[in-house]
Amino acid sequence: MTAVTDVKGVGEALGQALVAKGFKTAEAIAKAKPEDLVKVSGIGAARAPVLIAAAKQAIVANPAAAKPAAKPAARKPAAAKPATRRAPARKPATRKPAARKTVAAAAAEKRAEEAARKAAEEKAAAKAAEAKARKKAKAKAKAEKAAKKLQEMEAVFSKAKDKVKAKSKKGKKSKKGDKKKDQKKKDDKKKDKSKSKDKKKDKKKAKK
């Protein structure tokens, strides 16, 4: 059997958590389903399939643990065979860098998630700003429309006022003209009267 800690990306804390949930060997992890591993604290939906694949690699890298039937080596005194079988297991140095790579990959994954979160926040902020700008532009357009309508109404009112003024001026002029005509008529009558008087005086003088 391959130990849980031989799996890439599994440290002491995660190994204890896996053992507590019943995953005591790499073989158990390799046979597990992602939804089962997700129940273990520290393992997410993205990490579960990665751990299953790593467990399978650990089993392949440790054939002595994967083949317990090979233990009857005691019957065959040839010690060279178990040495060849155990040789891959004596390469923890290759496993340790792999574990470091997994930690680095986890860190990279975390950074990627953080970047995605920031990008989502920026996108949401941009959408909110765009909606605010649209609302502002709409309000501005509405205000401009109202101002234009008010100007039009004022222009119509001003025209009507000017028209009334023009009519009143015209009325005043016509009244003045009528007064002048009346005055002229009166003056003409007075002249006629004075002429008739003068004629009468002339007649009287002529009689005398």
Side-chain angles (χ1 to χ4, degrees), residues 64-115:
K67 295 179 182 179
K71 285 183 179 177
R75 296 176 188 174
K76 296 179 181 181
K81 286 182 181 178
T84 54
R85 290 172 191 167
R86 289 175 188 171
R90 290 177 186 176
K91 293 180 180 179
T94 55
R95 288 176 193 163
K96 283 178 184 176
R100 287 173 192 166
K101 281 182 183 178
T102 306
V103 171
E109 186 179 348
K110 192 174 181 181
R111 284 196 297 271
E113 286 176 359
E114 186 69 18

Side-chain angles (χ1 to χ4, degrees), residues 26 42-43 59 96 100 110 119 132 151 162 184 192 197:
I43 299 175
I59 294 166
K96 283 178 184 176
R100 287 173 192 166
K110 192 174 181 181
K132 194 175 180 180
Q151 283 179 354
D162 292 340
K184 193 178 181 182
D192 292 338
K197 281 180 181 180

Side-chain angles (χ1 to χ4, degrees), residues 12-69:
E12 290 183 8
L14 185 57
Q16 289 175 4
L18 284 163
V19 170
K21 289 291 182 179
F23 301 103
K24 297 179 181 180
T25 61
E27 286 78 7
I29 296 171
K31 290 176 183 177
K33 293 179 180 179
E35 52 266 28
D36 297 329
L37 288 179
V38 171
K39 295 175 184 177
V40 180
S41 62
I43 299 175
R47 196 176 179 187
V50 175
L51 285 176
I52 291 169
K56 289 177 181 179
Q57 286 180 359
I59 294 166
V60 172
N62 192 4
K67 295 179 182 179

Side-chain angles (χ1 to χ4, degrees), residues 2 6 15 33 42 51 62 72 81 122 126 142 152 172 178 183 187:
T2 306
D6 289 338
K33 293 179 180 179
L51 285 176
N62 192 4
K81 286 182 181 178
E122 287 175 1
K142 198 173 181 181
E152 287 174 356
K172 283 179 182 178
D178 292 339
Q183 189 65 37
D187 292 340

